[in-house]
Amino acid sequence: MTTQEVADWWGTAVSRIEPNRIELRGTPVQDLIGTVGFGSMIWLMVRGERPTPAQSRLLEAALVAGVDHGPHAPSIAVARMAATCGVGLNNAMASAINTLGDSHGGAGQQCVELLDDIRERVAAGVAVPAATDEVIAGWRARGIRYLPGFGHRFHTRDPRRDPLLALVDEAVTDRTVEGGHLRAARAVEEALNRGRSRPVPMNIDGATAVIYAELGFPAPLARGLFVLSRSVGILAHAWEETGQGRRNKGPIPPSVRPTFLG
């Protein structure tokens, strides 16, 4: 294999690294340092272009909202336990991030897929309420009891929902985003609450899914962006735990004995 063939094998449009040169998506890194916020940098690296200020503001709002949910969240609990095992911050963070799967961390991606299903039917000429009912029925038929992005095991109304959706409403008004995914999400919420005395409101996964989808991020990137967001909380908790001097912290206090089922 020639040198050029090896170079082509690792060809990338993301970065150009040569002696005394670092370019990210075609822009010298020295031109980005001090001029671009982290949210805009994420957009640039993933999308290959810079966001508008309004797009960046909306993306950063979603990233901020998903940063932490305390040790109730398995990823945070795992980070804290791992930090007491002498593995170092990088391992504690990796252990926690690796728990962000379909059941914990994947609802944003799944919600984007749900909203995309509705949008496809609407694009084919089906009214939003009818398209929503069709999609919900289809997901239920697949055995999906809890629709991703709606309801919360801890909050009766997720405190992150309203400020995020208010920002999306503003973005629709100023034409930063189109609003189709927002309409679909609200239609799902309305359908789920039809005839119910106890509401099932949209949660953080649903609200951020709306933002990521409205900004044009494909469904799998909704999970990737959540991982980036939650990594901040994971780091904070792992670092705090390292300063508390505990060793081999288990999931329950030592005084509590697990029930023997044998």
Side-chain angles (χ1 to χ4, degrees):
M1 182 173 283
T2 66
T3 301
Q4 186 59 54
E5 287 173 327
V6 173
D8 292 344
W9 178 264
W10 289 105
T12 175
V14 174
S15 58
R16 181 178 182 180
I17 311 298
E18 298 174 355
N20 302 321
R21 169 183 281 180
I22 300 174
E23 292 180 0
L24 304 176
R25 291 295 189 180
T27 302
V29 70
Q30 59 267 32
D31 294 343
L32 297 169
I33 295 171
T35 65
V36 175
F38 191 54
S40 296
M41 195 65 204
I42 292 170
W43 184 299
L44 173 64
M45 292 296 284
V46 173
R47 303 275 288 264
E49 60 186 16
R50 297 197 196 192
T52 66
Q55 290 171 328
S56 179
R57 177 172 177 252
L58 196 55
L59 174 60
E60 292 213 4
L63 293 170
V64 167
V67 159
D68 186 27
H69 200 255
H72 297 284
S75 55
I76 300 298
V78 166
R80 299 193 73 114
M81 288 189 290
T84 68
C85 297
V87 297
L89 280 177
N90 59 318
N91 296 94
M93 292 185 69
S95 297
I97 289 168
N98 281 334
T99 68
L100 297 175
D102 290 342
S103 298
H104 172 46
Q109 174 180 347
Q110 296 156 3
C111 187
V112 173
E113 293 167 353
L114 173 73
L115 303 181
D116 283 344
D117 284 351
I118 296 171
R119 293 272 289 157
E120 287 177 8
R121 283 171 171 74
V122 171
V126 182
V128 172
T132 301
D133 288 342
E134 290 175 9
V135 169
I136 290 176
W139 280 55
R140 298 283 197 218
R142 288 158 45 196
I144 299 173
R145 181 180 177 188
Y146 300 106
L147 292 184
F150 298 87
H152 202 285
R153 64 183 177 86
F154 192 78
H155 305 291
T156 55
R157 188 177 183 87
D158 194 317
R160 299 162 291 188
R161 172 197 182 279
D162 292 345
L164 289 176
L165 295 187
L167 289 173
V168 182
D169 282 329
E170 292 177 16
V172 172
T173 299
D174 64 24
R175 298 186 179 180
T176 298
V177 298
E178 188 272 333
H181 287 89
L182 175 63
R183 291 188 291 273
R186 284 189 164 136
V188 172
E189 190 174 58
E190 182 178 344
L192 290 178
N193 288 301
R194 199 178 295 143
R196 290 182 60 93
S197 58
R198 183 178 178 181
V200 182
M202 201 182 313
N203 59 33
I204 178 65
D205 298 308
T208 54
V210 168
I211 289 177
Y212 296 143
E214 289 286 354
L215 290 174
F217 289 96
L221 283 178
R223 186 181 309 211
L225 291 168
F226 173 75
V227 171
L228 288 176
S229 172
R230 183 52 58 89
S231 293
V232 178
I234 288 170
L235 172 61
H237 279 275
W239 178 242
E240 180 184 63
E241 189 67 52
T242 61
Q244 295 186 351
R246 283 177 285 212
R247 292 168 58 89
N248 300 327
K249 181 177 185 176
I252 55 177
S255 59
V256 179
R257 300 289 186 267
T259 302
F260 177 61
L261 299 176

